[in-house]
Amino acid sequence: MSEQRQRGEWLTGPVLVVGAGLLGTSVGLACRRSGLEVLLSDLAVEHVRTASGMGAGRALAEGDVPQLVVVAVPPDHLGAAVAAALEAHPEAVVTDVGSVKTGPWRAVADSPSCDRYVGGHPMAGSERSGPLAASASLFDGRPWAITPHRDSRPVAVEVVEDLVRLCGGVPVWLTPEEHDRAVARTSHVPHLLSVLAASRLAEGPENHLALSGQGVRDVTRVAAGDPRLYSQIVGANSAAVLDLLTEVRAQLDSVIAAVGAGDRAGLEDLLATGVAGTRVIPAKHGGPARPMRSVWVSVPDHPGELARLLADAVDSEVNVEDIRIDHDPGRPVGLVELVVEDSRAEHLLGSLESRGWETHR
């Protein structure tokens, strides 16, 4: 791909963003960062005012003619909003940032203007919502699904690809159906399983919850998402989600049978499928997963100690791939987990111990 193509040969603007929430305002900020004119529209006038004040664009005015419309509204309203954008802006390419792709496509499939629609879904977000949570860098380096359908105009696909690249995203090409099966597997069903695990905690006695550690926090983190939003997302992708939940139900029956029968070998085989799953998750920069290992370090709960630990890790010439902190309730230290490549773990352990850190193998 040429440098000219990467800079946005097809997308010149203006870009109209419909829905000035977290994603919509972030799209506006990212487009403005690239020098594009951005127009903003939202049923909530205060959202447009806030996003505009942040530099994400200006309010849509009568007579404005966008080249591209980006629909960023909640899932329940996405199909209707895409159809409305195609009708209101007869020369514009229309895309969206919704988490489900077959629904919007079906909503416009019978329209003579559907060739101007190309679906999209950036795999980026935040636990916060609204325009004040937006950032121009939200999409930098993040996968962004582009889901053209059989009737999409080639030029419309090119315009949407330019949007993705100008916003800092990494294009991933899928059909609408493939996309929905993919997010059911990697996002929607894992979210529901996290919710089920967290719901068992809600009914737990206080003395049981006192034993909560990092493991349960990792498993339940995404369960804290907005129930209203996620019910819309899962409902919009019900067919793909149901297929996977049926498979999970069969596996759960196998787990129950193995535990009830004391079948250690059967249980071990089932647990091994989980290990296999973790090993196929792509590495953080893409490509095949690499063997990782956790190095645990006790860190005093004082200002500057975490920074000192990370500085010592840098001096050890070991790249820290991930970091987590688990606090001990009974003493003034935290247990810091440094995730590094397996081949570098022993070197890091020795280096940190030589600098006086208490490590755990």
Side-chain angles (χ1 to χ4, degrees):
M1 183 172 291
S2 69
E3 287 299 314
Q4 181 185 24
R5 176 70 182 86
Q6 291 183 31
R7 286 196 298 268
E9 180 180 357
W10 297 92
L11 179 58
T12 57
V15 175
L16 168 60
V17 177
V18 178
L22 166 66
L23 292 181
T25 302
S26 294
V27 168
L29 290 169
C31 287
R32 291 295 302 130
R33 180 181 64 181
S34 296
L36 292 174
E37 181 182 7
V38 177
L39 315 171
L40 302 170
S41 173
D42 196 300
L43 292 177
V45 177
E46 63 273 16
H47 280 189
V48 173
R49 186 181 304 115
T50 299
S52 179
M54 295 171 62
R58 64 172 176 83
L60 175 68
E62 186 176 353
D64 285 330
V65 180
Q67 179 197 14
L68 172 66
V69 180
V70 181
V71 179
V73 301
D76 278 357
H77 307 287
L78 190 55
V82 168
L86 288 169
E87 182 177 356
H89 306 285
E91 302 301 321
V93 172
V94 176
T95 188
D96 69 282
V97 293
S99 56
V100 178
K101 299 272 67 81
T102 53
W105 157 231
R106 288 170 183 156
V108 300
D110 295 331
S111 167
S113 302
C114 71
D115 59 347
R116 293 187 283 113
Y117 170 66
V118 178
H121 178 206
M123 300 301 291
S126 167
E127 68 280 1
R128 300 169 60 204
S129 61
L132 289 175
S135 168
S137 62
L138 184 68
F139 311 110
D140 287 352
R142 300 298 302 164
W144 188 318
I146 302 176
T147 61
H149 54 85
R150 61 183 178 272
D151 297 319
S152 295
R153 294 182 190 177
V155 67
V157 179
E158 298 282 9
V159 168
V160 173
E161 183 182 349
D162 270 359
L163 171 73
V164 172
R165 295 191 183 280
L166 290 172
C167 287
V170 179
V172 178
W173 302 89
L174 297 164
T175 68
E177 294 81 5
E178 287 173 331
H179 169 275
D180 288 359
R181 289 193 296 269
V183 292
R185 186 179 303 276
T186 62
S187 178
H188 302 166
V189 169
H191 187 100
L192 291 174
L193 296 179
S194 176
V195 167
L196 293 178
S199 69
R200 297 301 86 211
L201 299 177
E203 300 176 5
E206 185 175 347
N207 61 336
H208 291 190
L209 299 178
L211 300 181
S212 299
Q214 190 60 44
V216 74
R217 293 187 180 92
D218 288 344
V219 169
T220 60
R221 181 182 61 81
V222 297
D226 180 0
R228 183 176 179 181
L229 173 62
Y230 278 94
S231 67
Q232 293 184 42
I233 291 172
V234 172
N237 200 23
S238 58
V241 169
L242 278 173
D243 285 345
L244 282 171
L245 285 178
T246 301
E247 295 176 10
V248 171
R249 181 172 60 186
Q251 288 182 301
L252 182 57
D253 286 340
S254 297
V255 171
I256 292 171
V259 172
D263 180 5
R264 294 288 185 87
L267 186 58
E268 185 175 335
D269 287 344
L270 287 164
L271 292 170
T273 65
V275 175
T278 64
R279 289 176 175 170
V280 299
I281 298 173
K284 66 178 184 179
H285 296 303
R290 294 170 292 162
M292 295 290 165
R293 181 173 162 189
S294 294
V295 171
W296 299 88
V297 187
S298 292
V299 178
D301 194 8
H302 305 310
E305 289 299 300
L306 181 59
R308 184 168 69 87
L309 171 63
L310 295 177
D312 285 346
V314 170
D315 289 342
S316 303
E317 298 183 346
V318 175
N319 186 42
V320 177
E321 304 286 343
D322 203 354
I323 182 171
R324 305 181 186 90
I325 304 175
D326 189 17
H327 293 282
D328 287 342
R331 57 191 184 123
V333 299
L335 195 59
V336 175
E337 179 187 8
L338 303 177
V339 181
V340 299
E341 286 195 35
D342 184 68
S343 61
R344 301 291 288 160
E346 287 297 326
H347 174 78
L348 179 60
L349 281 164
S351 178
L352 293 178
E353 288 167 359
S354 71
R355 289 170 164 82
W357 292 102
E358 179 185 350
T359 65
H360 306 267
R361 297 173 185 266

